[in-house]
Amino acid sequence: MGTLNFKPFESIGLCFSGGGYRATFFALGVISYLNKVKYKDSNLLKKTEAMSTVSGGTLLGVAYAKAAQDPDLDFGDFFREVYNTFKPENDKLLETAIKKLEDDAVWKDNPHKKRSLINAFALTYAEMDLYSGAFELFRESPTEHVKHLCFNATDFSFGLAFRFQNTGRFGNYPLNTKEVDALMYDVQLGDIVASSSCFPLGFEPLVFPDDYFKDQNTTKYKALKSLERFTDGVGIMDGGIADNQGIGSMINISEQKNRDRELDLIVVNDVGSYKMVPWQQDTTKIDKSTSLKTSINTWLGYFGVKPLYWITLLVGVLLIVLNSLELFKGQAWTSLYIIGSVLTGVGLTLTVAGILLAIGKAIGIASVKRLFKENVPEPLLDDVLSFEKLGIDLIKRMLIDRMTSSAKMINDIFLKQIRRLNYRILYSEENLKNKIITSTVYALNGKKTPYSNGLDYNKEIKPPPGKLLQSVGLTASETPTTLWWDETDIRKNRMETLIACGQFTSCYELMDYIIELKRDLELDEGELKLLDDMYEELNKDWKAFNENPFYMTEAYLKVKSEPQSENA
């Protein structure tokens, strides 16, 4: 790419990272600010021709991509629709999904989908106006605006990024066939959003193509299922597993062979964090306790017929018989019949239950032995069985430490390593020099990082971030990764702080980028004048954000005639 054919802000690609609602509304803030900023003859959002989104970022990306297919879109209307759909008092996403999961009728009407939480979310998304319809909407973009789209997930057959994209390879190399291409535009947007956003441990994967197509009697569907790789289905899950920023997909879009030139600017909007809560070992005191083997044997000892069971049954029957023979003072006593019946009933119940439990125990033990034989390598079998000699408290600690460290590895360490690798690739590409902006949710929150001695703000940008702006940024950056608002989120007004954070962070990063361009590149007088004019407008906004970080969000939420409601 280099500087040859480089045209500042001419063609823009936006990456929106994963991160639940934190990502969704930071992204809304980003595009709402780009909709306001002008360069040459239009705003920067109109100059955006590519989007690559992951997880929570996909919630915003799919909604905007769908809305942008209308060339007469009023951006203010779109902003308010997203805001009103998800503001805490209206947000019913989790509640509706749970109700669907519990409703037998839902799964009777959708027999192609396995009954799972993520499929309940997928069906909920499909009913929302923002996500209704199929990928067919993006077959041919009516404008040059956001014509390259990639919504990222991960496949669980090859461990590769699985891309729902309209101008590149759909899926990935080993999972892209003519049979897949024949069905790609029939995929529902609700399923795409669910696929991209079902994060590990919180959800289970969707299964492609089984969960994606309601009519499974078509020739196209049967042709795909006849392929060996799709016969048993392919697990599709969270795009953040392979690339939580969508960077690789955006580079692919920029380098597509059918493009006449690569993108002039890639903006990576990232709500992922360098921070992580350190793993803590279980420090529960271990007392001397019975061994696992002893505990299991004691527990299994209850599974069987005990002498007490049949003795109780025998006593009850004898009491009834003897009472019937009038052996007690020459008459039959009603009270003895009652006592005998109760003892007989209890004894019979316990005896029958004991027999059934004994049968179940025998089957269970046989199954466990078979499971061990089939799944534990013989050289390790003795080591595994040696655990039966350990105390219950020690085994509990070992299991807790393994589970908590594994969860930390999956949801923190692994994602952060992938994040570092992707950024290293992005910034090591010589042809991308001066064509990248990284905009992070925590950039202006006033907190030092473990990787720098100071706040590292650009001293050329005046005024520096104020305490109010930093406070809003801190509240936004501390939003947890969820797809719902809890009481703390509502109390801290996290939805609006995230939107505002996306807006003022975009403003700051654009100013920083223009300073970089003017320092590093030889630009002609016309380009310098355009950049200076743009910087002047950005600086006005920056001063306004420092006075009131929410001023632009408030303007969007007012009447349609506001300047920020300009058509996108």
Side-chain angles (χ1 to χ4, degrees), residues 341-379:
S341 298
V342 170
L343 290 174
T344 301
V346 171
L348 181 62
T349 301
L350 291 174
T351 302
V352 171
I355 293 171
L356 293 176
L357 288 173
I359 295 172
K361 178 176 72 173
I363 295 173
I365 291 174
S367 298
V368 170
K369 287 182 177 179
R370 185 172 64 254
L371 185 67
F372 264 76
K373 186 175 181 180
E374 292 175 353
N375 294 282
V376 179
E378 190 171 343

Side-chain angles (χ1 to χ4, degrees), residues 16-19 54-55 238-246 270 272 415 418 422:
F16 292 118
S17 78
V54 182
S55 197
D238 186 12
I241 298 170
D243 179 1
N244 197 43
Q245 288 66 44
D270 189 3
L415 292 183
I418 293 296
N422 282 324

Side-chain angles (χ1 to χ4, degrees), residues 70-86:
D70 179 3
D72 297 321
L73 168 69
D74 183 290
F75 184 83
D77 287 343
F78 169 76
F79 182 97
R80 286 183 286 275
E81 181 183 9
V82 176
Y83 181 92
N84 289 326
T85 298
F86 288 101

Side-chain angles (χ1 to χ4, degrees), residues 369-425:
K369 287 182 177 179
R370 185 172 64 254
L371 185 67
F372 264 76
K373 186 175 181 180
E374 292 175 353
N375 294 282
V376 179
E378 190 171 343
L380 297 179
L381 192 58
D382 289 339
D383 293 333
V384 173
L385 292 177
S386 68
F387 277 83
E388 67 184 16
K389 303 173 185 177
L390 300 179
I392 293 294
D393 288 346
L394 179 57
I395 292 175
K396 177 184 174 184
R397 174 195 279 181
M398 293 169 66
L399 290 175
I400 288 174
D401 282 347
R402 279 158 176 75
M403 288 188 292
T404 56
S405 61
S406 295
K408 180 67 66 176
M409 178 183 68
I410 294 169
N411 284 337
D412 276 312
I413 296 173
F414 182 74
L415 292 183
K416 284 174 172 51
Q417 290 297 333
I418 293 296
R419 181 177 186 268
R420 294 184 185 105
L421 289 171
N422 282 324
Y423 273 122
R424 186 175 299 171
I425 292 171

Side-chain angles (χ1 to χ4, degrees), residues 7-12 39-40 47-49 261 264-265:
K7 300 177 182 178
F9 303 109
E10 190 64 28
S11 59
I12 300 173
Y39 183 77
K40 290 186 178 179
K47 293 180 178 294
T48 298
E49 64 173 81
R261 52 198 294 274
D264 295 300
L265 176 62

Side-chain angles (χ1 to χ4, degrees), residues 244-286:
N244 197 43
Q245 288 66 44
I247 291 171
S249 299
M250 183 58 72
I251 292 176
N252 288 346
I253 290 172
S254 184
E255 295 177 349
Q256 283 178 5
K257 293 180 180 179
N258 59 351
R259 293 176 56 85
D260 57 351
R261 52 198 294 274
E262 297 178 8
L263 294 168
D264 295 300
L265 176 62
I266 294 175
V267 185
V268 182
N269 300 283
D270 189 3
V271 304
S273 175
Y274 56 86
K275 292 191 289 187
M276 135 179 161
V277 178
W279 174 76
Q280 296 290 328
Q281 64 178 331
D282 179 33
T283 56
T284 304
K285 184 179 179 181
I286 295 179

Side-chain angles (χ1 to χ4, degrees), residues 426-446:
L426 184 66
Y427 280 95
S428 65
E429 290 279 345
E430 185 62 31
N431 60 340
L432 292 176
K433 185 175 174 58
N434 300 117
K435 298 182 179 182
I436 306 167
I437 293 177
T438 299
S439 181
T440 63
V441 72
Y442 54 82
L444 303 175
N445 69 5

